Amino acid sequence: MTEIKTSIGAKTNNKRMNQIPIGVGLLIAIIGVGFFVGIQQPKSALLWGFGVAAGFVLQRSRFCFTASLRDPLLTGGTSLTKAVVIAIATATIGFAALQFAAVTNGIAIPGNIDPVGIHTVVGAVLFGIGMVIAGGCASGTLMRVGEGSVMQMISFIFFLIGSLWGAKDFGWWSINFMPEKGIFLPEVLGWPLAITVQFVLLLAIFILADWHGNKKPSQ
Amino acid sequence: MSAIRLECLGEACPIPLIKAQKKMAALRVGEVMIVETDHSCALKNVPEWASKEGYHVEVTEVDAGLWEIYIKKTK
Amino acid sequence: MDLRNNVYYKKFLKEPWPYTVGAVILGLLNIGMLVSTGKAWGVTSYFATWAAWIYQAIGGHPESWFYFQEKSEAAALVGGFAQNMQSLSDFGIIFGALLATLLASQFRIKKIRSWKQVAAAALGGLIMGYGARISFGCNIGTLFSGVASMSIHGWVYWIFIFFGAWIGGKLLVKYLI
């Protein structure tokens, strides 16, 4: 064992290319694009910055929403499931504060609150199958395009085609299944109960994931 | 000692992990498996699984974006 | 001294971060987006806009569809990219990931392995695109931002995407391994 390790390990440092200078160049270019866009559209420059930061963090931490949903039943791993719960819980704190302020001031509630119905079920199941066989969801596909995956580039092109197809059929789904507006938990349950339900459910998923992940592997 | 190589170049998650899990089940205690991968996520989830199982595991970066994961079946 | 042997370089730019660190930062980034732009993080609605621009360029008329007659989507189509650069947040993910990969000196073109893989990527991409449109987003827009917005559609999506992922897993084991 040690023999194999050293022979491979020795190979490591010889011909390896240093990509850090290219990375620094790219960082300068990213900042440049930010400034250029910022002159015309400050908000878009901000979104560019957030996008870059998100892509950087997704790659650095190997964060993967697909794995968080796929692995518990396929490979038994649940550490990403727990991580997704943490991400959602963190975001909920900020979102709820902003939403509460908006409601108090009588302005439109911020956040993604969209109509729920059969279309949500069909869309989620389709998306779930697709992301597992393609090896990544939307953010994962973009991240792996950045990492240099040719397969994910193909998946991305077809993702665009699928989006167009979905947009074309959207009217049919909308007329037949979609209610006027989404259901916002605090509107139904009141704030104290809604916040409680939200965090109790998140905690329950976390504990369930933790328990499942600690079970003795079945293989 | 010989090691069994598992080449997973170009394979996306979770295929390297599933292949490793299957292959490992067929190994005898003391045998070593080397998983070759270019998928950055595999070098997190494969070692995670292996150490959860209690196997000895080490990762070597062979080239830019190319890794070899050594797993020794210790039990 | 070579930067590549520096302990902090290794810690922050070379070794993968723990999942929880990523989780907390992504949660904060999403809050940051909602605070500063008024919109929670989303990815796939821009895909529809891009695809519609391309379709228009080759002679299609997506602007007549119900979807693109809704206020925000219609506005996105009119000006083209120069007027609507919000989708830069998606390009940002690609370049942010590329940056992280290069700074870790780990960039490599991952070649295609088999035709089966190509077919799976294409089919997967296609149904993800369709599914995301009819359910108002992907794992980011509906799962991450939707659940964090305390919207029922986010929770329903979470339950059923788990079921979809289970079916996907069965297909993967049967046909792709």
Side-chain angles (χ1 to χ4, degrees):
Chain A
M1 166 115 192
T2 10
E3 244 173 346
I4 303 165
K5 238 181 1 201
T6 43
S7 71
I8 304 281
K11 219 162 60 182
T12 306
N13 293 322
N14 288 342
K15 53 167 187 170
R16 204 149 88 221
M17 196 184 146
N18 182 3
Q19 299 172 339
I20 302 172
I22 313 171
V24 173
L26 178 67
L27 179 62
I28 295 166
I30 286 172
I31 296 170
V33 169
F35 273 114
F36 181 74
V37 174
I39 298 166
Q40 298 161 293
Q41 295 179 27
K43 204 171 119 178
S44 299
L46 212 56
L47 280 161
W48 167 245
F50 275 118
V52 170
F56 190 86
V57 175
L58 283 170
Q59 203 283 335
R60 284 288 56 235
S61 59
R62 314 282 193 265
F63 207 82
C64 182
F65 284 87
T66 305
S68 83
L69 297 155
R70 172 199 68 206
D71 288 353
L73 295 182
L74 195 58
T75 65
T78 57
S79 40
L80 272 163
T81 317
K82 290 188 279 181
V84 164
V85 172
I86 292 170
I88 294 176
T90 310
T92 302
I93 298 168
F95 279 33
L98 292 166
Q99 290 171 325
F100 188 75
V103 171
T104 322
N105 295 322
I107 52 174
I109 304 164
N112 288 0
I113 303 160
D114 290 306
V116 59
I118 300 293
H119 58 279
T120 317
V121 173
V122 176
V125 171
L126 283 177
F127 199 93
I129 298 171
M131 69 182 186
V132 172
I133 61 175
C137 63
S139 58
T141 299
L142 292 174
M143 170 192 128
R144 291 185 191 103
V145 167
E147 279 188 331
S149 164
V150 178
M151 176 183 162
Q152 300 289 341
M153 290 174 200
I154 296 168
S155 156
F156 176 63
I157 292 166
F158 281 88
F159 207 136
L160 290 180
I161 299 171
S163 300
L164 195 64
W165 185 11
K168 189 174 191 298
D169 286 0
F170 185 84
W172 183 81
W173 289 96
S174 180
I175 290 158
N176 290 296
F177 301 109
M178 289 181 197
E180 267 297 291
K181 57 201 262 296
I183 306 168
F184 182 46
L185 268 182
E187 249 170 20
V188 187
L189 304 173
W191 281 92
L193 187 58
I195 301 257
T196 314
V197 167
Q198 172 91 356
F199 281 100
V200 166
L201 283 176
L202 287 174
L203 185 67
I205 296 171
F206 188 94
I207 293 172
L208 188 67
D210 194 56
W211 168 78
H212 184 75
N214 287 331
K215 270 197 302 198
K216 269 268 147 258
S218 50
Q219 286 90 6
Chain B
M1 190 202 293
S2 71
I4 286 132
R5 295 191 80 85
L6 189 62
E7 185 257 320
C8 297
L9 302 182
E11 302 263 46
C13 276
I15 296 174
L17 177 56
I18 295 179
K19 280 190 171 172
Q21 287 177 330
K22 275 196 181 153
K23 192 75 143 210
M24 206 57 171
L27 291 195
R28 283 189 305 267
V29 173
E31 282 185 309
V32 175
M33 172 170 71
I34 302 173
V35 184
E36 245 184 298
T37 182
D38 55 8
H39 190 66
S40 70
C41 303
L43 83 147
K44 213 168 162 179
N45 67 16
V46 174
E48 192 191 68
W49 155 77
S51 40
K52 200 174 97 181
E53 294 272 346
Y55 303 145
H56 178 76
V57 53
E58 262 172 62
V59 181
T60 309
E61 192 179 356
V62 183
D63 196 359
L66 186 66
W67 297 272
E68 289 187 345
I69 307 167
Y70 301 81
I71 308 170
K72 187 176 186 184
K73 190 159 183 171
T74 44
K75 59 178 188 186
Chain C
M1 198 184 97
D2 194 346
L3 172 73
R4 283 176 287 177
N5 297 324
N6 182 289
V7 60
Y8 293 105
Y9 168 74
K10 281 190 179 162
K11 196 166 179 168
F12 293 116
L13 295 175
K14 186 79 180 170
E15 309 288 338
W17 298 349
Y19 292 134
T20 9
V21 171
V24 171
I25 302 178
L26 289 173
L28 295 175
L29 283 175
N30 204 346
I31 297 172
M33 278 187 240
L34 188 61
V35 171
S36 60
T37 68
K39 265 171 82 176
W41 188 17
V43 174
T44 42
S45 64
Y46 303 126
F47 288 7
T49 319
W50 293 350
W53 286 336
I54 297 169
Y55 190 49
Q56 281 179 325
I58 58 171
H61 292 286
E63 65 276 4
S64 64
W65 300 345
F66 181 91
Y67 179 84
F68 288 108
Q69 293 189 339
E70 283 183 280
K71 213 169 47 190
S72 59
E73 305 303 337
L77 273 195
V78 173
F81 181 69
Q83 300 294 315
N84 302 281
M85 292 196 261
Q86 285 94 325
S87 60
L88 277 176
S89 66
D90 280 2
F91 283 110
I93 298 176
I94 298 179
F95 286 99
L98 176 62
L99 177 68
T101 313
L102 286 173
L103 290 178
S105 224
Q106 291 172 346
F107 185 80
R108 162 181 293 264
I109 296 285
K110 285 121 185 149
K111 293 192 196 75
I112 288 167
R113 200 180 164 92
S114 67
W115 283 107
K116 225 163 49 170
Q117 200 186 33
V118 173
L123 181 67
L126 198 67
I127 63 176
M128 272 196 283
Y130 193 94
R133 266 323 79 223
I134 64 171
S135 55
F136 293 93
C138 57
N139 286 342
I140 304 295
T142 304
L143 176 57
F144 189 11
S145 299
V147 174
S149 301
M150 290 193 279
S151 170
I152 297 287
H153 90 293
W155 283 101
V156 171
Y157 182 88
W158 202 353
I159 296 165
F160 286 94
I161 196 170
F162 188 77
F163 180 64
W166 175 73
I167 301 173
K170 295 271 174 215
L171 293 172
L172 182 123
V173 171
K174 190 155 182 212
Y175 296 107
L176 293 175
I177 291 185

Coordinates of all heavy atoms in Angstrom, one line a residue, chain A residues 160-170, chain C residues 65 126-127 130 133:
Chain A
L160 N -32.3 24.6 -21.7 CA -32.8 25.8 -22.4 C -34.0 25.5 -23.3 O -35.1 26.1 -23.2 CB -31.7 26.5 -23.2 CG -30.6 27.2 -22.5 CD1 -29.6 27.9 -23.5 CD2 -31.1 28.3 -21.5
I161 N -33.8 24.4 -24.0 CA -34.9 23.9 -24.9 C -36.2 23.6 -24.1 O -37.3 23.9 -24.4 CB -34.5 22.8 -25.8 CG1 -33.3 23.2 -26.7 CG2 -35.6 22.2 -26.7 CD1 -32.6 22.1 -27.4
G162 N -35.9 22.8 -23.0 CA -37.0 22.4 -22.1 C -37.7 23.6 -21.5 O -38.9 23.6 -21.3
S163 N -36.9 24.7 -21.2 CA -37.5 25.9 -20.6 C -38.5 26.5 -21.6 O -39.5 27.0 -21.2 CB -36.4 26.9 -20.2 OG -35.5 26.3 -19.3
L164 N -38.0 26.6 -22.8 CA -38.8 27.2 -23.9 C -40.2 26.4 -24.0 O -41.2 27.0 -24.1 CB -38.1 27.2 -25.2 CG -38.6 28.1 -26.3 CD1 -38.5 29.6 -25.8 CD2 -37.8 27.9 -27.5
W165 N -40.0 25.1 -24.0 CA -41.2 24.2 -24.2 C -42.1 24.4 -23.0 O -43.4 24.5 -23.2 CB -40.7 22.7 -24.3 CG -41.7 21.7 -24.5 CD1 -43.0 21.9 -24.9 CD2 -41.5 20.3 -24.4 NE1 -43.6 20.7 -25.0 CE2 -42.7 19.7 -24.8 CE3 -40.4 19.5 -24.1 CZ2 -42.9 18.3 -24.7 CZ3 -40.6 18.1 -24.1 CH2 -41.8 17.5 -24.4
G166 N -41.6 24.4 -21.8 CA -42.4 24.7 -20.6 C -43.1 26.0 -20.7 O -44.2 26.1 -20.3
A167 N -42.4 27.0 -21.1 CA -43.0 28.4 -21.2 C -44.1 28.4 -22.2 O -45.2 29.0 -22.0 CB -41.9 29.4 -21.7
K168 N -44.0 27.6 -23.3 CA -45.0 27.5 -24.3 C -46.3 26.9 -23.8 O -47.4 27.3 -24.0 CB -44.5 26.6 -25.5 CG -45.4 26.6 -26.7 CD -44.7 25.9 -27.9 CE -45.4 26.0 -29.2 NZ -46.8 25.5 -29.1
D169 N -46.1 25.8 -22.9 CA -47.2 25.1 -22.4 C -47.8 25.8 -21.1 O -48.8 25.4 -20.5 CB -46.9 23.7 -22.0 CG -46.7 22.8 -23.2 OD1 -46.9 23.3 -24.4 OD2 -46.4 21.6 -23.1
F170 N -47.1 26.8 -20.6 CA -47.4 27.4 -19.3 C -48.8 27.9 -19.3 O -49.5 27.7 -18.3 CB -46.4 28.6 -19.0 CG -46.6 29.2 -17.7 CD1 -46.0 28.7 -16.6 CD2 -47.4 30.3 -17.5 CE1 -46.2 29.3 -15.3 CE2 -47.6 30.9 -16.3 CZ -47.0 30.4 -15.2
Chain C
W65 N -46.9 33.9 -26.6 CA -47.4 32.9 -25.6 C -47.8 33.6 -24.3 O -47.3 34.6 -23.9 CB -46.2 31.9 -25.3 CG -45.7 31.2 -26.4 CD1 -46.2 31.0 -27.7 CD2 -44.4 30.5 -26.5 NE1 -45.4 30.3 -28.5 CE2 -44.3 30.0 -27.8 CE3 -43.4 30.3 -25.6 CZ2 -43.2 29.2 -28.2 CZ3 -42.3 29.5 -26.0 CH2 -42.2 29.0 -27.3
L126 N -33.8 18.4 -20.6 CA -35.1 18.7 -21.2 C -36.3 18.7 -20.2 O -37.0 19.7 -20.1 CB -35.4 17.7 -22.4 CG -36.5 18.1 -23.4 CD1 -36.0 19.3 -24.2 CD2 -36.7 17.0 -24.3
I127 N -36.4 17.6 -19.4 CA -37.5 17.6 -18.5 C -37.3 18.5 -17.3 O -38.2 19.0 -16.7 CB -37.8 16.1 -18.1 CG1 -36.7 15.4 -17.3 CG2 -38.3 15.3 -19.2 CD1 -37.1 14.0 -16.8
Y130 N -38.6 21.8 -18.5 CA -40.1 21.9 -18.6 C -40.6 21.9 -17.2 O -41.5 22.7 -16.8 CB -40.6 20.6 -19.3 CG -42.1 20.7 -19.6 CD1 -42.5 21.1 -20.9 CD2 -43.0 20.3 -18.7 CE1 -43.8 21.2 -21.2 CE2 -44.4 20.3 -19.0 CZ -44.8 20.8 -20.3 OH -46.1 20.9 -20.6
R133 N -40.3 25.3 -15.4 CA -41.2 26.3 -15.8 C -42.6 26.2 -15.2 O -43.2 27.1 -14.7 CB -41.4 26.3 -17.3 CG -40.5 27.2 -18.2 CD -40.2 28.6 -17.6 NE -39.2 28.6 -16.6 CZ -39.2 29.2 -15.5 NH1 -40.3 30.0 -15.1 NH2 -38.3 29.2 -14.6

